[in-house]
Amino acid sequence: MHIATTHSRAKKILTVNGQFPGPVLKVYKGDTIYVNVRNRASENITMHWHGVEQPRNPWSDGPEYITQCPIRPGSHFVYEVIFSVEDTTVWWHAHSSWTRATVHGLIFVYPRPGTSLPFPKPDLEVPLVLGEWWKEDVREVVEEFTRTGSDPNVSDALTINGHPGFLYPCSNSDTFELTVEKTKTYRIRMVNAAMNLILFFSIAKHSLTVVAADGHYTKPLHATYITISPGQTLDILLHADQNPKRTYYMAARAYHSNPVINFNNSTTIGILRYISSSKATKSSYPNLPNYNDTSAAFGFFTNIKSLYSGQVPVKISRRIVSTVSINLLTCPNNSCQGPNGSRLAASMNNISFVTPNHVDILKAYYLHIKGVYGTRFPAFPPLVFNYTAEDQPLFLQTPRLATEVKMIKFGEAVEMVLQGTSLVGGGIDHPMHLHGFSFYVIGFGFGNFNVSQDPSSNYNLKDPPYRNTATVPRNGWIAIRFIANNPGVWFMHCHFDRHLTWGMNVVFIVKNGRRLNQQMLPPPPHLPPCY
């Protein structure tokens, strides 16, 4: 992979091998691949293999200053990417600052030769990457909002495979087209690579069948629209069964639950055209749910079920409850541009995560370097309050700035409850991603999670979705479970990049087990140096 600056029509962007979106990687289940990332750009870069569990191998996981120091301009690093349980589509993206805005691409995982798919083999595969586009340099967007403490400028367009579509004035000819043949079935391998938006997507007149989510098979789900959060992947079967003399539009736009917070409310359009329809006269637009249709968004999320039953850990050995909040930090003389002259921040359990900037946490853990991180991330919110009340006391808005991790013993069965709060502007949804693991999303609800009641009566312990990114509803909660059987240093964060930048992050350190195959692999040679 060559990271370099590429010219688009109006600005320079960071790309891999000159492609936007980046190239598709194709692997068989259980493969190990080696990817040489050469940085020919003028800024630091790291690469993350999103949804790849990387057993015992956090060294190649990628988040900057969590598991590695960045690859500096002019240098390179060879990533060892170990595939194990992943069955379907995952993806890769940059994981330093906001470089993933243009540095991302899909990974197609295929069954081992001789094994079959749990759904009819499609005739063709189609990569479909949903993204966001800023007219200005993304580095300037980041520089401005981190300097001023304000919300970042919202994007100017949404894209399908890098194309904004004809609804935008800049791009009459720049619309993604998918040409299909009547009676054939197409497997759409999709990712939401947008920086800060959950998206609805639909294709006019065509029913979609979801067969996988986040790299794992699901029970077939027939849907007229889909909801997909940043970081999530879906495999969708599209049956070309409509009138071939018409064209059909596909569209994506935001799901956004809080009108107080600015967002990009535009729509990106693509065209589905049948081979015989070159002279088609009529076009159909798809019906998408309204921007704020929470029941449509979460109705889709909760209808996804794992293909296999009985895999969920029933007995847990550790429960972690964490709030996920937007916060405020005071500025001297109210000099920042957040609410009331303050600076916007974000937190988990009232700790706004401070990313180290001189040595990464994995290296510090492995070499016993003191002073890089603390181990006091609380297992329960340090401030107990009515998390979703309309009016909150002001003192709750200020988080503690710290670099705290959570230590977990090898093999523990972990349940984690993520509780949204209404602090600062009334709250919003949070797509939370865990590196190193997939997890079962066993429950969700609106309002406050009731710790005193046994919530398991409301849990799905039979066939919940097995995902790596799950969305906490605005002023609600989700519960996830996983077995901590992957030793190493693993990042958990909101996949809205503005929230990640503000500190809605935590690091789990899973200790080594007793057996050799339960211990972290040694570091590879030539890790990027820390300065």
Side-chain angles (χ1 to χ4, degrees), residues 306-336:
S306 180
L307 180 61
Y308 308 113
S309 298
Q311 311 281 314
V312 186
V314 176
K315 288 189 174 171
I316 58 167
S317 52
R318 176 180 291 230
R319 179 188 275 164
I320 301 165
V321 180
S322 176
T323 54
V324 283
S325 302
I326 304 300
N327 301 95
L328 295 177
L329 296 166
T330 55
C331 294
N333 307 318
N334 296 339
S335 55
C336 296

Side-chain angles (χ1 to χ4, degrees), residues 46-106:
T46 66
M47 210 62 72
H48 171 52
W49 318 93
H50 185 123
V52 184
E53 293 191 15
Q54 292 275 33
R56 305 166 53 214
N57 185 33
W59 303 101
S60 284
D61 189 50
E64 185 179 41
Y65 290 114
I66 307 298
T67 60
Q68 69 169 99
C69 288
I71 306 166
R72 312 279 172 177
S75 58
H76 72 103
F77 175 56
V78 177
Y79 286 90
E80 179 185 31
V81 189
I82 303 172
F83 292 84
S84 54
V85 296
E86 303 80 22
D87 284 306
T88 65
T89 308
V90 288
W91 67 301
W92 57 266
H93 62 80
H95 214 305
S96 46
S97 185
W98 281 29
T99 47
R100 82 168 178 88
T102 54
V103 178
H104 55 251
L106 286 160

Side-chain angles (χ1 to χ4, degrees), residues 6-322:
T6 299
H7 289 268
S8 72
R9 268 183 226 168
K11 66 170 186 176
K12 295 176 181 176
I13 61 170
L14 212 57
T15 59
V16 169
N17 297 357
Q19 297 176 44
F20 173 67
V24 173
L25 300 180
K26 297 185 177 182
V27 303
Y28 286 108
K29 182 174 180 174
D31 278 357
T32 295
I33 64 170
Y34 295 87
V35 184
N36 190 353
V37 176
R38 295 183 178 277
N39 187 358
R40 293 180 172 172
S42 59
E43 59 192 290
N44 293 339
I45 201 85
T46 66
M47 210 62 72
H48 171 52
W49 318 93
H50 185 123
V52 184
E53 293 191 15
Q54 292 275 33
R56 305 166 53 214
N57 185 33
W59 303 101
S60 284
D61 189 50
E64 185 179 41
Y65 290 114
I66 307 298
T67 60
Q68 69 169 99
C69 288
I71 306 166
R72 312 279 172 177
S75 58
H76 72 103
F77 175 56
V78 177
Y79 286 90
E80 179 185 31
V81 189
I82 303 172
F83 292 84
S84 54
V85 296
E86 303 80 22
D87 284 306
T88 65
T89 308
V90 288
W91 67 301
W92 57 266
H93 62 80
H95 214 305
S96 46
S97 185
W98 281 29
T99 47
R100 82 168 178 88
T102 54
V103 178
H104 55 251
L106 286 160
I107 304 173
F108 290 6
V109 181
Y110 294 100
R112 302 291 315 165
T115 56
S116 59
L117 294 165
F119 49 85
K121 190 170 188 296
D123 296 292
L124 281 162
E125 295 186 316
V126 180
L128 203 149
V129 178
L130 302 174
E132 275 186 278
W133 181 265
W134 278 262
K135 288 178 185 173
E136 63 185 309
D137 190 319
V138 171
R139 285 179 296 186
E140 291 171 14
V141 176
V142 175
E143 191 280 327
E144 182 183 7
F145 93 94
T146 49
R147 176 175 49 83
T148 63
S150 61
D151 228 354
N153 290 341
V154 298
S155 56
D156 297 291
L158 306 178
T159 56
I160 298 174
N161 284 347
H163 301 274
F166 59 74
L167 292 183
Y168 296 98
C170 60
S171 59
N172 288 339
S173 60
D174 201 7
T175 301
F176 170 68
E177 283 202 20
L178 172 60
T179 306
V180 298
E181 201 174 327
K182 177 87 172 174
T183 74
K184 288 200 167 167
T185 299
Y186 296 80
R187 179 182 183 176
I188 297 173
R189 292 181 179 255
M190 173 189 282
V191 64
N192 180 355
M195 298 296 283
N196 292 299
L197 288 174
I198 301 168
L199 296 169
F200 288 126
F201 173 86
S202 181
I203 301 176
K205 307 286 188 192
H206 289 74
S207 175
L208 305 169
T209 305
V210 178
V211 292
D214 287 6
H216 300 284
Y217 297 126
T218 63
K219 292 186 170 73
L221 171 64
H222 301 292
T224 54
Y225 70 92
I226 63 111
T227 320
I228 186 165
S229 294
Q232 292 184 331
T233 56
L234 291 172
D235 289 58
I236 301 164
L237 299 182
L238 163 72
H239 306 287
D241 56 5
Q242 294 301 303
N243 180 352
K245 294 193 170 143
R246 300 183 68 153
T247 56
Y248 303 88
Y249 293 136
M250 61 184 80
R253 75 172 180 214
Y255 160 65
H256 186 82
S257 59
N258 187 341
V260 174
I261 297 169
N262 281 339
F263 73 106
N264 179 342
N265 65 359
S266 65
T267 303
T268 178
I269 295 278
I271 298 170
L272 185 147
R273 195 187 298 283
Y274 283 77
I275 283 174
S276 57
S277 68
S278 56
K279 294 180 181 164
T281 50
K282 288 193 173 177
S283 300
S284 302
Y285 279 93
N287 291 319
L288 286 170
N290 288 332
Y291 298 115
N292 59 355
D293 193 338
T294 298
S295 61
F298 283 86
F300 179 85
F301 288 144
T302 53
N303 278 333
I304 293 178
K305 310 279 194 233
S306 180
L307 180 61
Y308 308 113
S309 298
Q311 311 281 314
V312 186
V314 176
K315 288 189 174 171
I316 58 167
S317 52
R318 176 180 291 230
R319 179 188 275 164
I320 301 165
V321 180
S322 176

Side-chain angles (χ1 to χ4, degrees), residues 381-414:
L383 300 170
V384 176
F385 57 99
N386 179 356
Y387 304 113
T388 55
E390 273 192 37
D391 293 310
Q392 299 284 13
L394 288 178
F395 77 90
L396 292 172
Q397 297 183 349
T398 307
R400 181 162 78 89
L401 294 168
T403 309
E404 298 288 356
V405 310
K406 191 74 187 162
M407 306 297 294
I408 295 178
K409 290 178 187 159
F410 183 90
E412 282 201 277
V414 180

